[in-house]
Amino acid sequence: MQEKKFGIKRSRETTKPKAGCLEVAFYQCENCKKIFQSVSTTNQDGLICCNKEMERLKTKDPSEIANSVLINYRIVGGYNDNAIEVTWEILEKKDAIEWIYIKTFTGGQIKYITKQRKTSVIFALADEDAYVYCDEDPCLECTFRCKRGFEIYIYLNKSGLIKIPMDRMQANW
């Protein structure tokens, strides 16, 4: 009998973790265009940059930009190497992805897209964020929706901030 191996990143949780991370908001300076991330239970109005109040970026649904960018995600890796792969296809070359942020159960991760010919990024998960019900690779997106509560934020230089909740469920598994 082969011994089961438990990877170092594997979740040791016996039940699905609660989404304990606070609300994420992004603010942009109108003058220098810098973007500030805020994690808080309250609205952070009054953030100042370049002697002006920063504007909170409003999120858009992916359907609003479907003519210029197609975005998808999938959960890969099973128990030991759980990760989220975000893929995209730029249809209108006027837009480019600058960064992608994943809000998880315990915090978040950001990746900057420095090579515009790139079409995917992978976010490795560990501890509570790596919790899954099964060892399917890729995820079947079943009724348990292990990553419900996660959110993907994608910032495009022309279209702005896109928010994708990770609550998709496939009926054909």
Side-chain angles (χ1 to χ4, degrees), residues 33-97:
K33 303 300 180 196
K34 288 183 182 175
I35 295 176
F36 173 77
Q37 174 198 340
S38 171
V39 180
S40 177
T41 56
T42 61
N43 197 349
Q44 293 286 322
D45 288 340
L47 297 172
I48 305 294
C49 184
C50 298
N51 295 320
K52 290 183 89 173
E53 190 170 324
M54 295 177 79
E55 179 183 338
R56 183 176 181 158
L57 293 176
K58 292 178 178 40
T59 59
K60 296 179 182 176
D61 189 86
S63 63
E64 295 179 57
I65 57 137
N67 292 334
S68 60
V69 181
L70 299 175
I71 302 166
N72 197 10
Y73 69 87
R74 64 187 193 139
I75 303 161
V76 297
Y79 287 134
N80 286 327
D81 296 310
N82 198 242
I84 298 167
E85 179 183 28
V86 179
T87 60
W88 62 89
E89 180 182 352
I90 305 289
L91 303 173
E92 289 185 10
K93 299 299 178 196
K94 68 176 179 84
D95 241 339
I97 294 176

Side-chain angles (χ1 to χ4, degrees), residues 23-28 35-38 55-65 71 95-102 110 151-164:
E23 181 186 346
V24 175
F26 297 92
Y27 294 81
Q28 186 169 36
I35 295 176
F36 173 77
Q37 174 198 340
S38 171
E55 179 183 338
R56 183 176 181 158
L57 293 176
K58 292 178 178 40
T59 59
K60 296 179 182 176
D61 189 86
S63 63
E64 295 179 57
I65 57 137
I71 302 166
D95 241 339
I97 294 176
E98 291 190 9
W99 51 262
I100 300 174
Y101 178 87
I102 300 274
I110 192 165
E151 296 170 338
I152 302 169
Y153 293 86
I154 299 174
Y155 184 76
L156 295 118
N157 62 350
K158 301 288 185 215
S159 297
L161 187 62
I162 310 305
K163 177 182 174 182
I164 304 169

Side-chain angles (χ1 to χ4, degrees), residues 13 146 157:
E13 296 296 313
C146 311
N157 62 350

